[in-house]
Amino acid sequence: MNEALPDVPEVRVVGLPQLTSGFDLVERLDLPMHLKVHGPLEPMGGEQLAQLSEAINLKGRGGAGFPFHKKLRSVAEAAIKRGVRPVVVVNGSEDEPACRKDTVLINRAPHLILDGALLCAEALGARTLVVGVTRESTQRSMEAALAERGLSNSRRSALRASVQRNPVRMVTGAAASLVRSIDGGPAIPPGRKVSASQNGVGGAPTLLSNAETFAQLAIAARIGPERYGNTGLYDEPGTVMLTVSGAVARPMVIEVPTGVPLRYILQLAGAPPVPQGVLTGGYHGKWIDSATVNEAIVSRNSLDAVGGSLGAGAILPIGQDTCPLGESLQVARWLAEESAGQCGPCYLGLPAAARGMEDILNGGGPAALEALKQVAKNVKRRGACSHPDGSAMFLESTIKAFTDDLAAHVLGNGCGRRVEGVLPLFEGGRAPAGGMEAEESGPSRQKIYVDWTLCRGHGLCADILPEVFELGADGFPTVAQAQVPRYAEAKALRAVRRCPALALRLEEDTRSQASSRSNLPVLSQGRGRRALGR
C-alpha cells in the first residue's frame, strides 16, 4: 500500500522521442553520448531565445505553466535596468511522491537540461548557474554532468556552476524556497511573496524554471520552431513528460506528444479499463471522473477545459474497488505534514482540512462537509507560498468529482469500499504529526444545538468552532444542530461556556451513526441549502 516510486521508473515514449532520445541506447547520456544523439548547439541571443520560446508557446513544466518568454524578458530587462548580472537556476526539486519526470531527465539526460540553462546564461550574460535537487541520485548525476563539461563553482570560472541539495519536502520545490536556500537560508518560503525575476539569488534578477522546461528549450533551439511545431497540437506544440502511477500495472514516466487521448496513456500503463477517477497534475492537481476521462487529451488547455490540470505532469487513476475519499484523505494528511509551519492558513488550515475529510468518513454528516468546504476556502490565497492553494484545490476537486461517494458517506453508511493505498506516498505514507492521533479520530460522540430564542448573533461560536459554525449573511449561525467532530469536542465545550447569550448546549449523541448521518442541518432564513459537491 502507498508504495513509493523508484527514482527512475520505466520510461516509455509515444511517437518519436525528443527529450528521451538515446534512452534506448544507454542508461545515462554522458557528454560524448549526448553530443552523438543530439548534436552540437549554437549559442543564441537573448531576444532570439525569447522569440523561440514564444513561437513554440513554451510554458513552465513545473506546475504553474508561466510563459517562459515573459520570464526571460523580465529577467533581461531587470538586469539591464539595475546594471547587474542575472542568475540562472534550474529547479529539479521534484518532491511530490507521484512525480518522477524531472528526476528521470536529470538522471538520464542531464546535459539536455544543462544545454537549455547554459543557452540562457550566455544570452543573459549570467555568471552564476545553480541546479536545485533533493535526491542523492539527481545530485550525483548533475554533479557528474558539470564535471564532464569542466564547470565548477570556482571563483576563477567565467561561469560559476553548482548543485544545491535540499531536503525532500513539498515546499522545497517552491521558487522562493530554492532561492532562499541558495542564499544560505532554510529551504522554506520566506513568508512574503517575491518575484525571482526581479529579486532572486543574492538579490539579483534570477531566471528560475523547471528542469523539463530547459530541456524543451534545448530541443527547440536545435531543431527550430517549425520542426518543433510538427509534433503535437498547433497551440501547444511538442511533447510533455508524464508520470503515470496509482492503480496501474506498470508505473512509468512517458514522453508523449500533446493531443494524444488520455485514455491511451492509461491503457499503456495498465490502468483499469473504466477507472473510477483520475487525478491529474499531482497532489496539487484536480480529479476528473470516469466519464470525463474519455473526453480528455494530453494538453494544458484540454485538461483545464474538462476540470483537470496538467500541473506537474502526474496522472493517477484509481479503480472501482477503492474508496476515493479514503484515498484522498491519505494524501490530505501528507499535504498537511508537508507544511513549512510558518503561516496559519497552512500550518493550522491543512491539518484542519485533513481532519474535516476524516470526519466526513467517520459520520460527521453534512455539517462536516460544510466545515471542510469552509476550511478549504479559508486557506486559499492567504499562505506564504502556493502549498495551501494547491492543497485546497485538491480537496475541493475531491468533493466535486466524487459526489455519489460523498453522498454515501455524508447521508448514509459510507460507500463500502476499502482504502487500498494506491496513491503513492513516501515511506508507505506519513500521517501529519499531531492532529491525527487515535483519540481524536473515530465517530462523533456529541451534538451541539443553537437555541434561537436566546441567540443574538454575537458570532463567537464561529470563531471558536469554525469546524461546525459558519455565519450567514444575517450574522447568525447557519446550523441549528450539528455533530461535533471528535477532535473538536474540547473546542465545542469552550464555545458553549463562552457564548454571551448562553444560546448553545452540548449533548451526548445517543443515536446510531446511521441515524445521525441522515440528519441535514437546519439553515437560517435567507440562505439556501448547498448541493453536495458544489
Side-chain angles (χ1 to χ4, degrees):
M1 295 176 65
N2 295 120
E3 294 182 1
L5 294 174
D7 279 10
V8 184
E10 177 185 356
V11 180
R12 298 283 297 274
V13 61
V14 174
L16 296 177
Q18 291 187 354
L19 302 179
T20 58
S21 292
F23 280 23
D24 57 334
L25 302 175
V26 292
E27 285 299 310
R28 178 183 179 276
L29 279 74
D30 60 13
L31 185 57
M33 180 59 72
H34 167 74
L35 293 175
K36 287 180 181 179
V37 170
H38 292 285
L41 182 60
E42 296 296 326
M44 300 174 68
E47 182 55 29
Q48 190 179 4
L49 270 180
Q51 291 176 1
L52 172 65
S53 304
E54 188 172 10
I56 64 173
N57 197 19
L58 180 61
K59 294 182 178 179
R61 301 300 177 90
F66 191 80
F68 188 78
H69 69 92
K70 291 184 178 180
K71 187 179 294 187
L72 189 61
R73 289 190 173 110
S74 177
V75 171
E77 290 169 3
I80 293 171
K81 183 178 180 179
R82 293 170 52 188
V84 298
R85 289 192 180 275
V87 176
V88 175
V89 175
V90 177
N91 193 348
S93 308
E94 193 170 42
D95 302 317
E96 277 197 51
C99 296
R100 290 296 185 276
K101 67 179 183 68
D102 293 318
T103 303
V104 163
L105 285 175
I106 295 174
N107 273 288
R108 301 197 61 181
H111 288 285
L112 199 59
I113 299 166
L114 287 178
D115 277 347
L118 292 171
L119 268 179
C120 294
E122 185 168 355
L124 292 170
R127 292 294 179 262
T128 303
L129 167 65
V130 183
V131 182
V133 299
T134 53
R135 303 174 188 274
E136 183 180 355
S137 64
T138 50
Q139 180 182 8
R140 287 199 310 266
S141 180
M142 190 54 72
E143 286 179 343
L146 293 178
E148 289 164 7
R149 289 178 180 253
L151 296 172
S152 72
N153 198 27
S154 171
R155 293 185 178 182
R156 299 179 180 179
S157 302
L159 174 70
R160 298 183 63 177
S162 62
V163 176
Q164 174 71 28
R165 171 87 179 272
N166 289 326
V168 179
R169 292 197 63 193
M170 186 75 164
V171 295
T172 300
S177 300
L178 181 52
V179 168
R180 191 178 185 186
S181 70
I182 294 170
D183 283 338
I188 59 176
R192 54 188 176 84
K193 295 183 179 180
V194 295
S195 169
S197 298
Q198 303 298 315
N199 188 8
V201 175
T206 300
L207 178 67
L208 189 153
S209 198
N210 165 263
E212 184 193 342
T213 313
F214 284 109
Q216 293 283 1
L217 181 65
I219 293 293
R222 278 186 168 88
I223 65 177
E226 291 186 8
R227 280 186 58 194
Y228 189 93
N230 289 335
T231 300
L233 299 172
Y234 173 77
D235 57 342
E236 293 183 52
T239 64
V240 295
M241 295 286 285
L242 302 174
T243 310
V244 187
S245 62
V248 298
R250 298 179 303 279
M252 63 178 61
V253 168
I254 182 167
E255 182 181 13
V256 55
T258 56
V260 171
L262 180 61
R263 64 178 181 274
Y264 179 68
I265 303 303
L266 297 174
Q267 290 170 2
L268 283 179
V274 184
Q276 184 176 185
V278 178
L279 180 59
T280 59
Y283 294 159
H284 277 180
K286 298 180 181 180
W287 289 98
I288 57 176
D289 58 30
S290 57
T292 306
V293 170
N294 291 327
E295 304 173 18
I297 62 175
V298 178
S299 85
R300 188 177 303 277
N301 291 338
S302 171
L303 289 171
D304 286 345
V306 298
S309 170
L310 180 60
I315 304 295
L316 301 105
I318 60 172
Q320 297 286 348
D321 55 352
T322 188
C323 173
L325 301 184
E327 297 288 345
S328 296
L329 171 59
Q330 294 193 351
V331 174
R333 288 172 171 173
W334 179 80
L335 290 169
E337 171 71 9
E338 291 300 290
S339 169
Q342 60 180 358
C343 65
C346 193
Y347 177 64
L348 299 175
L350 297 189
R355 291 193 298 265
M357 180 70 78
E358 183 182 37
D359 192 42
I360 289 174
L361 290 168
N362 286 333
L369 174 59
E370 291 301 316
L372 174 59
K373 290 181 178 179
Q374 188 61 41
V375 170
K377 177 182 177 182
N378 288 343
V379 303
K380 288 191 296 187
R381 294 179 293 276
R382 295 178 57 214
C385 68
S386 61
H387 182 53
D389 294 345
S391 301
M393 182 169 67
F394 167 79
L395 290 166
E396 290 174 336
S397 172
T398 302
I399 293 172
K400 184 177 180 181
F402 302 108
T403 53
D404 290 344
D405 293 86
L406 190 67
H409 283 283
V410 171
L411 302 177
N413 295 316
C415 68
R417 299 183 177 99
R418 296 183 303 171
V419 178
E420 302 288 345
V422 297
L423 301 180
L425 294 171
F426 293 130
E427 300 173 2
R430 295 175 299 185
M436 287 297 162
E437 304 298 334
E439 64 269 19
E440 293 185 343
S441 62
S444 173
R445 301 180 301 184
Q446 295 180 335
K447 289 194 72 173
I448 195 166
Y449 296 84
V450 178
D451 187 336
W452 293 120
T453 66
L454 297 176
C455 183
R456 295 295 179 265
H458 293 96
L460 192 61
C461 58
D463 292 333
I464 298 174
L465 196 60
E467 295 90 343
V468 172
F469 291 115
E470 176 185 358
L471 300 183
D474 54 5
F476 286 82
T478 58
V479 296
Q481 54 182 292
Q483 301 288 140
V484 177
R486 192 160 181 175
Y487 68 85
E489 288 176 352
K491 293 167 67 176
L493 182 59
R494 192 180 313 129
V496 170
R497 290 173 174 173
R498 295 186 61 184
C499 177
L502 303 178
L504 299 178
R505 76 177 190 274
L506 199 62
E507 296 182 1
E508 289 291 327
D509 185 14
T510 58
R511 299 173 301 169
S512 66
Q513 284 188 26
S515 174
S516 65
R517 287 186 186 122
S518 65
N519 283 328
L520 286 169
V522 179
L523 305 186
S524 59
Q525 287 185 331
R527 293 176 64 88
R529 282 195 176 91
R530 299 177 186 175
L532 289 177
R534 300 295 179 188

